[in-house]
């Protein structure tokens, strides 16, 4: 989770309002939609983060929210407060990752760190629908009705794309932000009697002690100290000139003298393609380039005439993956087989990244790629994960590769039987990572016949 600060704590009146909204009697009688409406009426958008912080604290302590309906309502609030943004941008996205992870894949350290409740199948299915943006009908039910719902009639949802985005966002957090543990521990020796008359009052007092005050204990977490090297001593007058620069002689100006020149057919497409190889294009520039590529196809301009050589393809993939996809698709339609093979060879052997996987994944869903190309790229990804020395980067890439492979397998784009031994060894080697464990279970389900893959030697379209 993100680092909390003192501005994230609720005021006493705000805490009372929040607790009244998730009161057990109110939760049982009102639909989730009505409860979310009450929340938005009482808390403006500027207060959503500190409200979510308080809800996470209540979820982490099993004795502070006594009923499953209250817990499910709190989880719904965490999603509903940021429903207008992408799930990967939700500051409480790690909570959804932990709640949706199968219990047998949870890392013991992460489970101890978050301490979140275990969801039953109906609750997991409801949260899956919410994360996928398809839970509108469920919001009209009460939390208790969702908890006791029949899961058979609800269609399954593919969260591969969402999981990939969440894994990427989570992997970009610094080590110090991912290594903390909560500073609150439950006292196992104190008897917990939910039938006692004073239980509700005791819960309120405990919640107030944890969440109120100038420096509430609930917002503290234990993290390793981030140490910095001491700066060198100041010895000369010009030694620290970088702190207050007075000369700007390093700034120069470059003029594009071709701006007013007459444009020939395909000139704009070539210019934008060259720029796309060096920097990220704006949305307007991307739309203009795609329109120019379509126009160039009508005039007979070949993709190879855009100045995109195979050596420039990796930089185009990293800076503008969507442009790279469109150019490669047009190259397959109009280019020779030898030219297409040359570009694909560069794509297969380029440094593995999220963008390169996105390009390959989109190509496999749009056209039928040669089987050896897809298998060679997967082998390259596995080899990269095995040889990288940086543990942080290794764990990040392994997560991305596992989610990528699950997407290819579940959508029957590859025949995993031809890569079974290699992929199985990869899963075993990185079994400490939950995404690798999930991929290993998927392989075992296919081996037992619960899932079926595509026919040998074919790439199946979505």
């Amino acid at each position: 989770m993100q680092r909390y600060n003192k501005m994230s704590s609720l005021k006493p009146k705000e805490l009372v309002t929040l607790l009244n909204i998730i009161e057990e009697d109110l939760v049982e009688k009102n639909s989730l939609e009505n409860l979310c409406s009450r929340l938005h009426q009482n808390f403006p958008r500027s207060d959503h983060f500190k409200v979510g912080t308080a809800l996470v604290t209540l979820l982490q302590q099993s004795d502070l929210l006594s009923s499953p309906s209250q817990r499910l309502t709190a989880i719904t609030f965490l999603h509903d407060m940021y429903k207008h943004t992408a799930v990967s941008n939700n500051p409480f996205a790690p909570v959804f990752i932990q709640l949706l992870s199968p219990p047998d894949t949870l890392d013991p350290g992460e489970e101890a760190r978050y301490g979140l409740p275990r969801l039953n199948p109906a609750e997991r299915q409801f949260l899956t629908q919410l994360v996928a943006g398809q839970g509108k009908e469920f919001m009209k039910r009460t939390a208790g009705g969702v908890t006791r719902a029949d899961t058979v009639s609800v269609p399954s949802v593919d969260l591969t794309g969402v999981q990939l985005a969440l894994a990427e966002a989570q992997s970009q957090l610094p080590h110090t932000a991912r290594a903390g543990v909560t500073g609150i521990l439950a006292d196992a020796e104190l008897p917990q009697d939910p039938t006692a008359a004073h239980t509700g009052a005791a819960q309120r007092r405990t919640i107030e002690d944890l969440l109120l005050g100038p420096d509430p204990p609930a917002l503290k977490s234990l993290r390793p100290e981030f140490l910095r090297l001491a700066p060198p001593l100041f010895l000369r007058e010009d030694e620290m000139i970088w702190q207050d620069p007075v000369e700007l002689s390093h700034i120069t100006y470059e003029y594009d003298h071709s701006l007013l020149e007459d444009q020939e057919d395909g000139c704009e497409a070539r210019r934008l393609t060259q720029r796309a190889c060096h920097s990220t294009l704006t949305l307007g520039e991307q739309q203009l380039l795609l329109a120019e590529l379509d126009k160039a196809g009508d005039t007979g301009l070949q993709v190879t005439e855009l100045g995109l050589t195979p050596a420039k393809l990796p930089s185009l993939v990293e800076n503008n993956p969507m442009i790279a996809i469109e150019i490669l698709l047009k190259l397959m339609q109009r280019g020779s087989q030898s030219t297409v093979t040359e570009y694909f060879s560069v794509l297969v052997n380029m440094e593995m990244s999220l963008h390169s996987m996105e390009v390959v994944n989109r190509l496999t869903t749009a056209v039928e790629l040669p089987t050896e190309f897809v298998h060679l790229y997967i082998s390259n990804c596995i080899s990269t994960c095995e040889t990288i020395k940086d543990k942080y980067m290794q764990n990040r890439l392994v997560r991305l590769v596992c989610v990528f492979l699950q997407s290819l397998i579940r959508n029957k784009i590859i025949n995993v039987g031809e890569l079974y031994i290699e992929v199985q060894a990869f899963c075993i080697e990185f079994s400490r990572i939950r995404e690798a464990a999930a991929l290993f279970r998927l392989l075992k389900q296919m081996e037992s016949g619960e899932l079926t893959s595509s026919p040998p030697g074919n790439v199946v379209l979505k």
Side-chain angles (χ1 to χ4, degrees):
M1 293 291 295
Q2 298 181 353
R3 178 178 293 275
Y4 301 123
N5 49 53
K6 294 182 180 180
M7 296 301 294
S8 300
S9 59
L10 292 172
K11 298 176 182 178
K13 184 177 179 180
E14 294 172 333
L15 180 59
V16 171
T17 301
L18 177 61
L19 295 178
N20 289 338
I21 294 176
I22 59 175
E23 186 70 35
E24 185 172 0
D25 292 340
L26 189 65
V27 167
E28 292 293 342
K29 297 177 181 178
N30 288 268
S31 66
L32 291 170
E33 188 176 50
N34 290 338
L35 293 174
C36 290
S37 178
R38 287 173 179 258
L39 183 75
H40 290 293
Q41 290 174 2
N42 288 277
F43 295 97
R45 184 174 297 182
S46 58
D47 290 341
H48 284 179
F49 181 74
K50 59 184 182 182
V51 170
T53 302
L55 291 174
V56 172
T57 301
L58 298 180
L59 287 170
Q60 290 174 329
Q61 311 303 319
S62 60
D63 56 339
L64 297 184
L65 291 180
S66 55
S67 72
S69 298
Q70 289 179 292
R71 293 192 288 269
L72 189 64
T73 302
I75 295 171
T76 305
F77 286 169
L78 294 179
H79 176 271
D80 193 75
M81 288 188 296
Y82 296 91
K83 63 182 178 182
H84 298 299
T85 63
V87 178
S88 57
N89 294 331
N90 189 322
F92 303 101
V95 174
F96 305 143
I97 294 177
Q98 294 298 317
L99 290 172
L100 292 177
S101 298
D104 55 343
T105 64
L106 287 177
D107 184 277
E110 292 187 346
E111 188 174 8
R113 185 169 116 222
Y114 290 102
L116 296 172
R118 299 285 180 86
L119 302 183
N120 64 32
E123 294 168 340
R124 285 174 56 84
Q125 199 167 44
F126 166 70
L127 182 56
T128 301
Q129 296 282 336
L130 277 187
V131 172
Q134 303 178 14
K136 188 174 181 180
E137 292 299 323
F138 287 92
M139 296 293 290
K140 298 178 181 179
R141 306 179 185 178
T142 64
V146 172
T147 301
R148 297 183 293 269
D150 183 12
T151 61
V152 177
S153 59
V154 181
S156 60
V157 178
D158 184 10
L159 292 179
T160 303
V162 177
Q163 288 175 326
L164 186 61
L166 291 176
E168 171 66 11
Q170 186 74 358
S171 64
Q172 292 177 352
L173 293 177
H175 282 292
T176 53
R178 294 183 289 127
V181 296
T182 179
I184 305 173
L185 296 177
D187 190 347
E189 297 183 358
L190 289 178
Q192 299 292 334
D193 184 7
T195 62
H198 65 278
T199 299
Q203 284 181 341
R204 287 273 180 141
R205 287 196 301 270
T206 303
I207 293 173
E208 292 172 358
D209 292 341
L210 291 177
L211 295 175
L212 297 182
D215 191 15
L219 303 189
K220 293 182 179 179
S221 62
L222 305 178
R223 289 187 175 90
E225 184 179 359
F226 184 73
L227 301 178
R228 298 175 181 267
L229 294 175
L233 295 176
F234 179 73
L235 300 177
R236 300 189 306 273
E237 292 183 358
D238 60 344
E239 183 177 1
M240 301 183 70
I241 191 65
W242 56 269
Q243 285 192 338
D244 187 19
V246 295
E247 296 182 3
L248 302 178
S249 58
H250 61 282
I251 297 180
T252 59
Y253 298 93
E254 296 184 0
Y255 296 93
D256 186 355
H257 298 282
S258 65
L259 287 177
L260 300 180
E261 295 179 359
D262 293 334
Q263 296 183 355
E264 302 175 356
D265 290 340
C267 179
E268 185 68 4
R270 282 191 291 269
R271 184 182 68 83
L272 288 174
T273 301
Q274 293 302 308
R275 179 180 294 181
C277 291
H278 298 91
S279 61
T280 303
L281 299 181
T282 64
L283 180 59
E285 290 175 331
Q286 291 182 33
Q287 295 173 346
L288 178 59
L289 177 53
L290 294 176
E292 288 294 325
L293 290 175
D294 291 335
K295 187 190 305 180
D298 297 334
T299 60
L301 181 69
Q302 298 296 320
V303 174
T304 52
E305 296 176 23
L306 297 173
L308 177 64
T309 62
K312 293 181 180 179
L313 180 61
S315 60
L316 177 63
V317 170
E318 290 304 320
N319 289 313
N320 296 276
M322 300 306 298
I323 299 299
I325 292 169
E326 293 299 325
I327 291 181
L328 288 175
L329 289 175
K330 295 185 182 300
L331 181 65
M332 295 180 66
Q333 296 172 1
R334 306 167 190 168
S336 63
Q337 182 62 36
S338 59
T339 303
V340 173
T341 301
E342 187 177 4
Y343 280 85
F344 279 176
S345 298
V346 173
L347 179 61
V348 168
N349 292 290
M350 71 174 285
E351 183 177 355
M352 191 197 84
S353 66
L354 174 64
H355 285 170
S356 70
M357 282 192 287
E358 181 182 4
V359 170
V360 173
N361 191 40
R362 289 291 296 273
L363 288 176
T364 57
T365 61
V367 295
E368 185 173 354
L369 296 179
T371 305
E372 60 272 16
F373 163 74
V374 181
H375 288 184
L376 184 58
Y377 181 74
I378 293 173
S379 297
N380 179 43
C381 292
I382 292 176
S383 176
T384 301
C385 293
E386 292 173 343
T387 57
I388 192 170
K389 300 299 182 183
D390 188 317
K391 289 296 183 182
Y392 165 72
M393 288 301 300
Q394 185 183 59
N395 291 343
R396 174 186 175 185
L397 294 180
V398 168
R399 289 189 175 97
L400 294 177
V401 170
C402 289
V403 176
F404 173 65
L405 287 176
Q406 287 186 63
S407 176
L408 295 180
I409 294 172
R410 290 186 183 278
N411 292 293
K412 299 183 180 180
I413 292 176
I414 64 170
N415 176 24
V416 76
E418 298 179 7
L419 295 169
Y420 186 86
I421 296 177
E422 186 176 3
V423 175
Q424 184 185 49
F426 172 78
C427 295
I428 294 174
E429 182 178 357
F430 298 101
S431 57
R432 69 181 186 279
I433 300 176
R434 64 172 176 269
E435 286 81 359
L439 178 58
F440 184 79
R441 285 197 309 276
L442 180 61
L443 294 178
K444 289 301 181 184
Q445 289 176 341
M446 295 183 61
E447 186 180 19
S448 63
E450 297 179 29
L451 293 176
T452 58
S453 62
S454 58
N458 294 328
V459 178
V460 181
L461 299 179
K462 275 187 177 179

